[in-house]
Amino acid sequence: MPLTAGIVGLPNVGKSTLFNAITKSQVEAANYPFATIQPNVGVVEVPDHRVDRLAELFHPKKTIYTTFEFTDIAGLVKGASKGEGLGNQFLSNIRLTDAICHVVRCFDDADITHVEGSVDPLRDIEIINLELIMADLQTVENRIGKIERKAITNRDKDALAECAVLKRIAEALNAGKAARSVDLDEDERLLVKNFSLLTMKPMIYVANMSEEEIADPQSNEYYCQVKEHAEKEHNRVVPICAKIEEELSELDKEEKDLFLQDLGIRESGLDQVIKSAYAILDLCTFLTAGEDECRAWTFHRGMKAPQCAGVIHTDFERGFIRAEAYSFEDIDELESEHAIKEAGKLRSEGKEYVVQDGDILHFRFNV
């Protein structure tokens, strides 16, 4: 399953232009609200120089990168949680995503209308966040209404625990705070996980600015406002120019690198968004390499070797014996598995081994 992110924001902030860029597809990006009337889903490969290097060394029949899935939904407006505009049907499209990318307009352009009549990123953020909060509040209150009587009447232990944590979340939502602001332990998180609360998901603010300012985001007053707001929420902000991202998507890697150099930008907005998503979701990558296939696999930091084996196939985890492991840095330097063995860099790891980002693994199993 690819990682997933929902792209949200007010109409005409650049969501569909960004979606066009990151998926190299052509959803409609018209200059009027609700140009996107069905959720658009696209999957993009996650660039990884380690996979590229392994392909150089092993010359595999197949090279497979990890993927990231983006869902672009219609522009939300005030009252979306109550059915205004195209409403709640679109909020439901992002309930199952891993993270939310909130695109915020940080540029002035008289030719592109703003649904609120002016450019004000903090107001726009408040509108979207409030709609997400109201949608979650409705979900939480509906659940409390169903379970509270059972909890009180039957003194059901599980129902009492669920009711207690939902009431704490409802209190925060009523105060205009996101569900993620509530301090929950692991058991409490499991209790509310199935509700897929929108404001429980980590959020990345994507500040969409002009071509002239993207090389120096700090010069953009709107961006500085968004950055300050994101820091208060312990969220991340990524500066992009959606127009430039769309142009980059049409270029090959060499042309793209030259274009970025000319603009004075180190990496594309897409790469920054993906890196931020991996960081906030606490994700890493392990690799497998051989003549048949070189491949990247995503896992949660802290997972042990058998769990990572299960990422490839459940049989690998069920019959796990050991993992033969070495680091990407070692193969990058020594350039062959034979040299890895000669240098004593090949390790045999058991069930308690905590897999590290960049590990190259070969699993031994028996079922």
Side-chain angles (χ1 to χ4, degrees):
M1 290 289 290
L3 292 170
T4 59
I7 303 175
V8 303
L10 290 172
N12 296 347
V13 297
K15 299 185 316 306
S16 293
T17 305
L18 175 62
F19 182 80
N20 286 346
I22 61 182
T23 62
K24 298 185 180 180
S25 63
Q26 295 299 316
V27 298
E28 187 176 7
N31 180 28
Y32 55 86
F34 312 124
T36 310
I37 58 172
Q38 292 294 331
N40 295 281
V41 179
V43 178
V44 62
E45 285 186 337
V46 177
D48 192 327
H49 73 281
R50 296 170 298 189
V51 180
D52 297 334
R53 176 62 170 153
L54 290 176
E56 286 179 9
L57 297 174
F58 286 86
H59 307 288
K61 296 171 186 172
K62 288 193 295 184
T63 302
I64 303 175
Y65 299 81
T66 57
T67 57
F68 211 111
E69 181 178 286
F70 289 89
T71 300
D72 174 40
I73 70 168
L76 299 176
V77 292
K78 283 181 182 176
S81 59
K82 298 176 183 176
E84 294 295 325
L86 292 173
N88 233 351
Q89 59 176 307
F90 289 105
L91 290 177
S92 67
N93 291 324
I94 57 172
R95 285 205 178 276
L96 298 180
T97 59
D98 298 305
I100 293 176
C101 295
H102 182 169
V103 183
V104 185
R105 179 168 166 176
C106 292
F107 65 90
D108 292 305
D109 189 332
D111 295 327
I112 301 178
T113 59
H114 193 293
V115 71
E116 291 294 320
S118 62
V119 177
D120 183 342
L122 296 184
R123 176 205 59 211
D124 295 354
I125 287 171
E126 185 179 354
I127 289 172
I128 297 297
N129 285 349
L130 183 58
E131 293 308 319
L132 301 180
I133 285 169
M134 294 304 293
D136 279 352
L137 186 59
Q138 187 177 19
T139 299
V140 170
E141 288 181 338
N142 285 346
R143 180 59 180 171
I144 291 173
K146 289 179 181 178
I147 201 172
E148 190 169 27
R149 182 177 296 178
K150 177 184 176 182
I152 295 171
T153 305
N154 301 337
R155 303 303 297 171
D156 183 287
K157 184 180 176 182
D158 292 338
L160 284 167
E162 184 179 324
C163 205
V165 70
L166 287 175
K167 284 186 174 181
R168 284 168 57 201
I169 291 173
E171 185 180 351
L173 295 170
N174 274 310
K177 297 178 182 177
R180 75 179 80 86
S181 70
V182 181
D183 188 20
L184 303 177
D185 63 30
E186 190 173 338
D187 290 337
E188 289 170 330
R189 287 185 177 278
L190 285 173
L191 282 173
V192 299
K193 184 178 180 180
N194 289 337
F195 302 119
S196 300
L197 298 177
L198 297 167
T199 63
M200 190 68 80
K201 301 178 189 302
M203 180 175 285
I204 302 167
Y205 289 107
V206 179
N208 185 21
M209 59 185 66
S210 69
E211 297 172 63
E212 293 75 27
E213 294 177 305
I214 189 61
D216 181 19
Q218 301 294 338
S219 66
N220 182 303
E221 183 182 342
Y222 298 139
Y223 169 78
C224 293
Q225 292 173 12
V226 175
K227 186 179 180 184
E228 183 179 351
H229 179 83
E231 287 171 352
K232 288 178 184 175
E233 293 184 339
H234 304 291
N235 286 325
R236 292 176 174 244
V237 57
V238 175
I240 68 153
C241 173
K243 282 185 178 179
I244 287 176
E245 294 300 316
E246 199 167 25
E247 291 176 35
L248 285 170
S249 71
E250 302 300 323
L251 305 177
D252 62 31
K253 187 180 184 306
E254 191 174 321
E255 291 173 325
K256 177 180 169 181
D257 290 342
L258 287 171
F259 189 23
L260 289 172
Q261 282 179 23
D262 289 344
L263 293 170
I265 304 171
R266 277 192 312 170
E267 57 185 349
S268 73
L270 170 59
D271 290 351
Q272 292 181 63
V273 168
I274 290 171
K275 281 185 179 179
S276 294
Y278 268 68
I280 62 174
L281 293 169
D282 213 12
L283 298 171
C284 302
T285 304
F286 74 85
L287 305 125
T288 52
E291 292 180 1
D292 287 336
E293 178 182 281
C294 288
R295 183 165 183 167
W297 306 84
T298 301
F299 70 101
H300 285 275
R301 189 182 304 278
M303 284 173 65
K304 294 181 178 179
Q307 294 172 288
C308 285
V311 171
I312 298 176
H313 197 285
T314 53
D315 283 350
F316 285 26
E317 181 174 10
R318 187 159 53 90
F320 179 88
I321 299 172
R322 69 180 185 275
E324 295 174 353
Y326 55 88
S327 71
F328 170 76
E329 287 74 19
D330 287 338
I331 192 73
D332 185 34
E333 178 186 350
L334 299 173
E335 299 194 331
S336 76
E337 287 190 338
H338 177 73
I340 291 278
K341 291 173 186 175
E342 289 288 310
K345 299 287 188 178
L346 181 67
R347 311 185 311 272
S348 181
E349 304 288 2
K351 293 182 178 180
E352 295 304 310
Y353 176 65
V354 177
V355 175
Q356 302 299 304
D357 185 58
D359 273 351
I360 299 167
L361 303 174
H362 179 70
F363 295 106
R364 299 293 185 184
F365 68 102
N366 182 31
V367 290

